[in-house]
Amino acid sequence: MTEFLRILEFSFSVTGPIFVILVLGVWLRRRGMLTDAFVEAGSRLVFNVALPALLFISISKTHFEAAANFSLVAFGAVATLFTFLILEWIASRWVDEASDRGVVVQGGFRSNMGIVGLAYCINAYGEKGLVAASLYLGLITILFNILAVITLSRSLHTDRSMKGLLKGIVTNPLIIGIVAALPVSAMEWQLPALVIQSGQYFANLTLPLALLCTGASLNFARLKLERHSTLLASIAKLVFVPLVFVLGGYLAGFRDIDLGVLLLLSSTPTAAASYVMVRAMGGNAVLAANIIALTTVASIFTTSLGIMALRAAGLM
């Protein structure tokens, strides 16, 4: 019990501040300090500038030679595609509102690896955790964004042609930020300090602004009406996805730090980026915000249980 409480405290130390900012967004909205116009403009700023800058700065600092565990990345890609396809099938049968299916699917598979996941890995394994997670994060995040564009476009019936779908993927600011950073990382180019510092300013905006906008969009009345979709996405995110990654990773031969990284990255709450993408594409942003809020709170307990289970089995 003492071990569980210690792990719970560790989990809360990472996700607690995220929850606080979400609540602050709710409070500021009720006080009238955050308006629809602010949320709309803030979400666009995060999606088009701040989050791409964060991904670019983070990945450009990663050294490929140190982080190149391509077997882990390959497994992560296969597991992500598997969970995506299963969630697409589930959503087509269990989500009545067709336009909400992409929101549920994205909320189910898209992990907050860049903020919460990295923090988990660093706290659990130190520098080794950062190295093991960095390249994985960069490449799997590309896949996350491609799959998010596909599922949201399908459910919202926007740009359903292959040409339109490819255009949506190629012009996605998050994918552009990641792809632009990959050669910088691979070639180990030293960017000018002016570029790094300027990009870091925008990167630092990402999490607080995204979470404030997400909190301001929470609608507890809608949560009651859409609790089926919210719970479906949350259970998928916090139970189904981590089980697939950990059990699949174990069967694939991953152990110790690699298996721990798979658990820690897959058990994180739904990424704040899912909200800004849904809003940017004209989907049900309230549902996306509610999924983020619920998974953020519940992940404190589910991640702690997962860590305790792996440690009890001697696998982490």
Side-chain angles (χ1 to χ4, degrees):
M1 187 63 180
T2 302
E3 173 71 3
F4 176 71
L5 290 176
R6 190 182 67 78
I7 296 171
L8 190 65
E9 181 183 8
F10 154 64
S11 299
F12 185 73
S13 71
V14 178
T15 57
I18 293 175
F19 182 67
V20 168
I21 299 177
L22 280 171
V23 173
L24 183 60
V26 175
W27 183 75
L28 291 174
R29 177 61 182 267
R30 291 184 176 179
R31 297 279 296 179
M33 296 178 66
L34 297 184
T35 63
D36 283 333
F38 176 90
V39 172
E40 180 67 32
S43 298
R44 285 203 306 270
L45 180 62
V46 169
F47 183 70
N48 291 295
V49 181
L51 189 52
L54 172 66
L55 294 169
F56 177 84
I57 295 297
S58 175
I59 294 168
S60 65
K61 292 179 180 178
T62 301
H63 297 296
F64 261 57
E65 290 184 3
N69 187 345
F70 289 108
S71 61
L72 189 68
V73 176
F75 172 79
V78 171
T80 298
L81 284 169
F82 174 77
T83 55
F84 171 79
L85 293 173
I86 294 296
L87 289 172
E88 279 279 309
W89 180 81
I90 291 173
S92 68
R93 285 157 177 77
W94 290 2
V95 179
D96 294 331
E97 188 64 45
S99 60
D100 287 347
R101 290 171 186 166
V103 180
V104 171
V105 172
Q106 184 187 209
F109 79 81
R110 189 167 190 167
S111 301
N112 191 337
M113 298 191 300
I115 306 298
V116 179
L118 276 186
Y120 277 159
C121 292
I122 292 168
N123 286 344
Y125 297 110
E127 185 66 24
K128 289 183 178 178
L130 176 63
V131 170
S134 293
L135 182 63
Y136 179 98
L137 182 152
L139 296 179
I140 299 301
T141 299
I142 294 177
L143 182 58
F144 277 176
N145 283 282
I146 292 172
L147 296 179
V149 171
I150 291 172
T151 190
L152 291 172
S153 296
R154 276 165 47 89
S155 64
L156 297 172
H157 304 290
T158 57
D159 290 331
R160 298 195 69 184
S161 68
M162 183 58 68
K163 181 179 179 181
L165 196 59
L166 289 174
K167 181 181 178 182
I169 292 170
V170 171
T171 59
N172 184 287
L174 310 185
I175 295 176
I176 292 172
I178 295 168
V179 172
L182 290 175
V184 177
S185 175
M187 303 300 292
E188 297 188 13
W189 291 332
Q190 294 297 317
L191 297 174
L194 176 65
V195 173
I196 294 293
Q197 191 59 55
S198 300
Q200 193 64 55
Y201 285 147
F202 281 108
N204 291 342
L205 282 173
T206 305
L207 188 61
L209 185 54
L211 291 174
L212 281 175
C213 292
T214 302
S217 298
L218 289 174
N219 186 317
F220 297 103
R222 287 274 294 276
L223 178 59
K224 293 179 181 179
L225 294 174
E226 298 173 339
R227 63 180 178 273
H228 173 75
S229 295
T230 305
L231 286 172
L232 179 61
S234 299
I235 292 171
K237 181 70 209 68
L238 301 178
V239 180
F240 171 66
V241 170
L243 280 175
V244 168
F245 274 75
V246 173
L247 292 177
Y250 179 81
L251 293 175
F254 294 108
R255 299 291 186 273
D256 301 322
I257 187 170
D258 288 339
L259 193 61
V261 165
L262 287 174
L263 168 68
L264 295 172
L265 292 181
S266 65
S267 65
T268 61
T270 301
S274 66
Y275 165 80
V276 294
M277 181 172 282
V278 169
R279 191 174 184 103
M281 295 183 68
N284 188 344
V286 173
L287 175 59
N290 288 337
I291 291 169
I292 292 168
L294 183 56
T295 56
T296 297
V297 176
S299 68
I300 297 170
F301 302 97
T302 56
T303 302
S304 299
L305 286 170
I307 293 170
M308 189 173 67
L310 281 191
R311 286 189 176 178
L315 298 173
M316 183 177 180

